[in-house]
Amino acid sequence: MAATTPRPRSARRRPRPVGVDTLERLKRLIGDGRYQPGSALPAERELAATLGVSRPSLREALRMLAALGAIETRHGSGTRVSATSAGVLRASFEFLLLLDRPTIDDLLDARGLIEGHLAARAAVLRDDHDLAALDDIVAVMHAHAIDSRAGKDANRRFHQAIAAAARSTVLERFMACLDDGIRACIESGAATADPATSHAAHDAIHAAIVAGDADAARAAVAEHMRLSGINAGSARTRPIGRPR
Amino acid sequence: MAATTPRPRSARRRPRPVGVDTLERLKRLIGDGRYQPGSALPAERELAATLGVSRPSLREALRMLAALGAIETRHGSGTRVSATSAGVLRASFEFLLLLDRPTIDDLLDARGLIEGHLAARAAVLRDDHDLAALDDIVAVMHAHAIDSRAGKDANRRFHQAIAAAARSTVLERFMACLDDGIRACIESGAATADPATSHAAHDAIHAAIVAGDADAARAAVAEHMRLSGINAGSARTRPIGRPR
DNA sequence: CCCGCTTTATAGTCAGACATAATAACAGAT
DNA sequence: ATCTGTTATTATGTCTGACTATAAAGCGGG
């Protein structure tokens, strides 16, 4: 019985809960490609047996992965690894907004910075495929009102296409988060989008990317953010969300 | 009992799992200030009874909140709401790196952009308190080698202090995520920090912020990133992490 | 050939019990 | 009176096992 408690106090580490430990193991399995993006995970009972944990513990791990945006679960059907990493930061960011309540201006400022950089990179790095995609989207935007269903959708895709052409997944994800937050503000009535200047601004950005002019692209985005699209009114420097 | 299944097929929405539903309810309670940051949550059994759900379901919700960085749980002690939102994006971002495997250059590029902006804002917005904090940290940095324990700690606090002075929680969080990722690269040996130029670069940034010169601050950060602190070697344009 | 039923595999949910860790209260020795 | 070791309490950690609800495939009848 001499070695019943062999671990010295200094190196003492708290044993991880099984659920958390299982999360790490699954993370690793997904990261190593054992479970490919878009593919189905084994059934809960089976996976629990494979990993040697109980189903409730496995479910805790799966729920954490779902909260992180890594998997999607459908009752009766099964669980699959998310096909893309596009949703990974979103839930966390939404929560961050809830806790920190930044002002709308802060969100717009951050977005302007990042999207300007993305546009500048896109102007340099874009290939024919990117340009073709942008052309298509701009055409759709011209064909629909900016505040229509199709117009909003094209608007979103326009910004996504720029981010994709810039070849920086990290900033692309950040941008998507900010976009979510700003969109939520607009839809909750805290700010309103002004359709008037949108077409012109988008065209300017588009033209700069086509021309391969990084500085012009950055400037066009800054202009777009500055005069607008967004009228935050009196709430401009107020924390977003409902008051506590 | 006529309204047992009143929902029409068109408005049919999938009922949320109890665990997910409970997550939303807790989010709301935290967001509304019912449970203050840093304060303890009721015990699991009690909270489960209050919310009218079983303990496993509540635990799923709590685990999701923990994965999002919103709460911290300690065996035998209890669960408390995180005192700050500093950890909220981290776990998600770590997972994003695992899935997307950006290059180190991508991380450095993003960090340079954001920190440059933060430094520029800090140069304009800083108050006496910020300047005093920066002075202290710079003094500590000069007193210790950059690769010592205390030096690394001061280095991290220096960047955090700049972010704090810039008054943009959103970008501050983004920066912290990037910092985590870059730090992980350095510690895993994929890149090495070069102590030689660090002091000079930090002093330049510090001086620009003290002088209130936004452009100089941005330029100093760019210089810091460029020549730099980081030697990524052959892995420079390789995806981070171990190969799949 | 198509529609609706049945079957089967899956996630959703709960109840209850026991194990383990952290903390506070208490009794004893110094 | 103070320090220390023990004990009691309360908290989370974990599992077993059963049952329900859903989705999708298979299958039969029209």
Side-chain angles (χ1 to χ4, degrees):
Chain A
M1 280 283 290
T4 311
T5 310
R7 42 189 173 185
R9 262 235 186 63
S10 58
R12 161 118 184 70
R13 59 180 149 173
R14 232 175 295 170
R16 267 186 307 201
V18 175
V20 178
D21 186 65
T22 304
L23 168 68
E24 294 300 326
R25 292 168 67 191
L26 287 174
K27 258 189 189 176
R28 186 164 200 146
L29 287 171
I30 294 174
D32 287 351
R34 173 67 189 80
Y35 296 120
Q36 291 292 328
S39 69
L41 246 48
E44 286 187 358
R45 285 176 174 82
E46 188 185 336
L47 190 53
T50 302
L51 297 175
V53 302
S54 71
R55 201 153 82 97
S57 294
L58 173 67
R59 281 180 61 84
E60 287 182 11
L62 291 179
R63 278 281 138 83
M64 285 190 271
L65 280 172
L68 293 174
I71 62 173
E72 282 151 29
T73 291
R74 270 173 52 196
H75 187 174
S77 174
T79 303
R80 26 186 73 248
V81 182
S82 297
T84 76
S85 60
V88 170
L89 285 177
R90 297 176 112 99
S92 286
F93 189 78
E94 187 194 331
F95 204 84
L96 184 70
L97 294 184
L98 197 68
L99 293 181
D100 279 351
R101 310 231 172 217
T103 64
I104 300 176
D105 268 0
D106 272 345
L107 294 180
L108 291 172
D109 174 68
R111 185 192 154 141
L113 173 75
I114 294 176
E115 186 154 13
H117 190 69
L118 287 174
R121 280 183 62 130
V124 177
L125 299 174
R126 85 284 188 280
D127 60 22
D128 292 345
H129 185 268
D130 297 319
L131 291 179
L134 276 173
D135 282 344
D136 288 348
I137 294 168
V138 168
V140 173
M141 283 200 300
H142 279 180
H144 297 84
I146 189 66
D147 50 358
S148 71
R149 182 80 176 73
K152 281 181 182 172
D153 197 55
N155 184 20
R156 164 177 257 152
R157 289 216 317 277
F158 178 71
H159 295 289
Q160 284 174 346
I162 291 174
R167 313 271 187 273
S168 173
T169 54
V170 174
L171 288 177
E172 183 176 349
R173 299 293 174 244
F174 284 168
M175 236 273 294
C177 287
L178 293 167
D179 205 48
D180 283 350
I182 292 167
R183 212 169 290 269
C185 286
I186 292 175
E187 264 154 36
S188 72
T192 55
D194 171 23
T197 61
S198 285
H199 277 330
H202 288 152
D203 285 345
I205 298 170
H206 182 213
I209 292 174
V210 170
D213 188 336
D215 291 333
R218 198 190 308 269
V221 170
E223 194 73 357
H224 181 19
M225 293 292 141
R226 195 173 63 77
L227 42 90
S228 205
I230 304 284
N231 173 18
S234 64
R236 186 130 206 159
T237 55
R238 282 272 203 65
I240 64 177
R242 55 189 174 292
R244 314 202 190 196
Chain B
M1 283 286 284
T4 311
T5 309
R7 43 187 174 188
R9 261 241 187 61
S10 56
R12 162 117 184 69
R13 59 180 147 176
R14 231 175 295 168
R16 268 186 306 201
V18 176
V20 178
D21 186 63
T22 304
L23 168 68
E24 294 299 326
R25 291 167 69 188
L26 287 174
K27 257 190 189 174
R28 187 164 199 146
L29 286 171
I30 294 174
D32 287 352
R34 173 68 189 78
Y35 297 119
Q36 290 291 328
S39 68
L41 247 49
E44 287 187 357
R45 286 177 174 82
E46 188 185 336
L47 190 54
T50 303
L51 297 175
V53 303
S54 70
R55 199 153 84 99
S57 295
L58 173 67
R59 280 180 63 84
E60 287 182 12
L62 291 178
R63 277 282 139 80
M64 284 189 272
L65 280 172
L68 293 174
I71 62 174
E72 281 151 30
T73 292
R74 270 173 53 197
H75 187 174
S77 175
T79 303
R80 26 185 73 247
V81 182
S82 298
T84 76
S85 61
V88 170
L89 284 177
R90 296 175 115 99
S92 287
F93 190 77
E94 187 195 330
F95 203 84
L96 185 70
L97 294 184
L98 197 70
L99 293 181
D100 278 351
R101 310 233 171 212
T103 64
I104 300 176
D105 268 2
D106 271 346
L107 294 181
L108 291 172
D109 175 69
R111 185 192 155 140
L113 173 75
I114 294 176
E115 187 154 12
H117 190 69
L118 288 174
R121 280 184 60 131
V124 177
L125 299 175
R126 85 282 188 281
D127 59 23
D128 292 344
H129 184 267
D130 297 319
L131 291 178
L134 276 174
D135 282 344
D136 289 347
I137 295 169
V138 168
V140 173
M141 283 201 300
H142 279 180
H144 296 84
I146 188 67
D147 50 358
S148 70
R149 182 82 175 72
K152 280 181 183 172
D153 198 55
N155 184 19
R156 164 176 256 152
R157 290 216 316 277
F158 178 71
H159 294 289
Q160 285 173 348
I162 291 174
R167 314 270 188 273
S168 173
T169 54
V170 174
L171 288 177
E172 184 177 349
R173 299 295 172 242
F174 284 168
M175 237 272 295
C177 287
L178 293 168
D179 205 48
D180 282 350
I182 292 167
R183 212 169 291 269
C185 286
I186 291 174
E187 264 154 35
S188 73
T192 56
D194 170 23
T197 60
S198 285
H199 278 330
H202 288 154
D203 285 346
I205 297 170
H206 182 212
I209 291 175
V210 171
D213 187 337
D215 291 334
R218 197 191 308 269
V221 169
E223 194 73 357
H224 180 22
M225 293 290 141
R226 196 172 62 77
L227 42 90
S228 120
I230 303 281
N231 173 17
S234 65
R236 187 130 204 157
T237 54
R238 283 270 204 67
I240 64 177
R242 54 189 174 297
R244 316 202 190 196

